[in-house]
Amino acid sequence: MQNETVIVLDFGGQYNQLIARRVRECNVYCEVMSYKNDIEKIKAKNPVGIIFTGGPNSVYDENSPHYDKAIFELGIPILGICYGSQLVAYSLGGHVATAPVSEYGKTEITTSDSLLFKDVDNNTIVWMSHTDYIDKIPENFKITAYSKDCPCAAYENAEKKIYAVQFHPEVNHSVQGQQMLKNFLFNVCGCKGDWKMSDFAKRSIEALREKIGDGKVLCALSGGVDSSVAAIMLHKAVGKQLTCVFVDNGLLRKNEGDEVETLFRNQFDINLIRANAQDLFLGKLAGITEPERKRKIIGEEFIRVFEAEAKKIGKVDFLVQGTIYPDVIESGAGDAAVIKSHHNVGGLPEHVDFKEIVEPLRDLFKDEVRQLGIELGLPEKFVWRQPFPGPGLAVRVIGEITEDKLAILRDADAIFRKEIANAGLDRSINQYFAVITDMRSVGVMGDGRTYDYTLALRAVTTTDFMTADWARIPYDVLEKASNRIVNEVKHVNRLVYDITSKPPATIEWE
């Protein structure tokens, strides 16, 4: 049975996948489609609602994205957001102009009676981000919200079920934004909200089975949550056609290699090759200190190892990777700026010896990947393990990577994670780990002077890993972790705690 579907029509904004995620949080199936898809492809999806996204353009720019006006005659409810709201006005005879005062950030709006604002306060805080504004709405529409500097913060034609908001209801800064999206989905589109992660799993496995056919598949298994969930999906789709290559690159956490091997060999009976390539990776990284160069080297060596293993098992048609959406954003997909390359997105070498790369988790956020993992039967302990970057501990060693520094980091990181778990904080803090800096400082132990490494502890809370706040860990927990690390791990005499949010920092240090 086909689930009800909402289409997010993508006009190039930075929050487009976040809109889809918010819709899915309401248990409504959602697909993101580019505005470059023609209207027949939209109609073929038989959507119960369409959401126009934001975008960086002005509707009057020659090269700005527009859409066939016939979409407004389909009788399908439409919600325009930011650029999408301006496009609705422009397309239907309204007028958009440069605003006398641009609005960016948290803004108070005043709402009036509307299905879109049911159970929303008359005065509520939303997130604005616009230079243009609507100075004339289309005929037979009415304004339903305004702010101090924006006379048309929302408008609608309830009879035609066309709604538009100048702000971004999908971001957390819009205090009641999710309620507005729920109102559109349930009060305007009439959604039932009966889509579950089990549906996504079933749908994705069927699509993978159809795509791959009788082809051979090689899965890049790093041992992290993302690649593990991707591997299980492929195993359920094509069984023994899948071979997982687990590269032990010498950059894993303490005991991690053995734990991963045991899980996939014993519990899931997956074809698993453990490639011991520690010397290869550490040799290539010797003397390298620049973070982006480290990532590129690791990405390239991963692929080279996979190519070598693929040749051993014969012809391989597909390479599977556990790329998730925040990886894609940060690696500069589309028009986004490159923040840092992820080994499974921006770090690929030009020549890849496979027919095609398959990324079944590419449109999911981290919390959705965890839900999917539980649905697929991964042990809860494994699903809730700490997120681990593709380049592994390489991005947690500042400066040159050496075996000595990695050994120090493994032991310290294991102690920190253990103390967080002992304190019952392992679910409320979304990511936590240790970093070994390239700085040494003077200390005193017993009666002697020391000159040893400074380690940083990092812990953040986040819902989507796109933004994050530093975690307020109780002092006694930090104290215990610090004391244990200094006493139990050689060559560490100082601990610092990172209290920077994302942005301006990233979660990882490199």
Side-chain angles (χ1 to χ4, degrees), residues 255-273:
N255 302 324
E256 191 158 38
D258 294 341
E259 292 171 1
V260 171
E261 184 173 5
T262 298
L263 176 73
F264 283 87
R265 281 198 202 283
N266 296 351
Q267 182 162 338
F268 287 100
D269 190 28
I270 289 176
N271 291 333
L272 179 71
I273 296 171

Side-chain angles (χ1 to χ4, degrees), residues 165-185:
V165 296
Q166 183 58 71
F167 51 87
H168 288 276
E170 70 275 17
V171 302
N172 286 333
H173 300 300
S174 291
V175 178
Q176 294 176 288
Q178 186 69 352
Q179 181 61 46
M180 299 173 196
L181 290 175
K182 285 180 180 177
N183 287 338
F184 176 70
L185 296 171

Side-chain angles (χ1 to χ4, degrees), residues 420-455:
I420 291 292
N422 288 345
L425 300 173
D426 49 327
R427 292 289 182 93
S428 58
I429 301 175
N430 303 101
Q431 190 164 354
Y432 45 93
F433 53 88
V435 174
I436 184 167
T437 75
D438 206 24
M439 180 178 71
R440 297 191 183 208
S441 63
V442 175
V444 57
M445 289 187 179
D447 295 322
R449 174 188 183 275
T450 62
Y451 189 63
D452 279 324
Y453 285 108
T454 297
L455 264 66

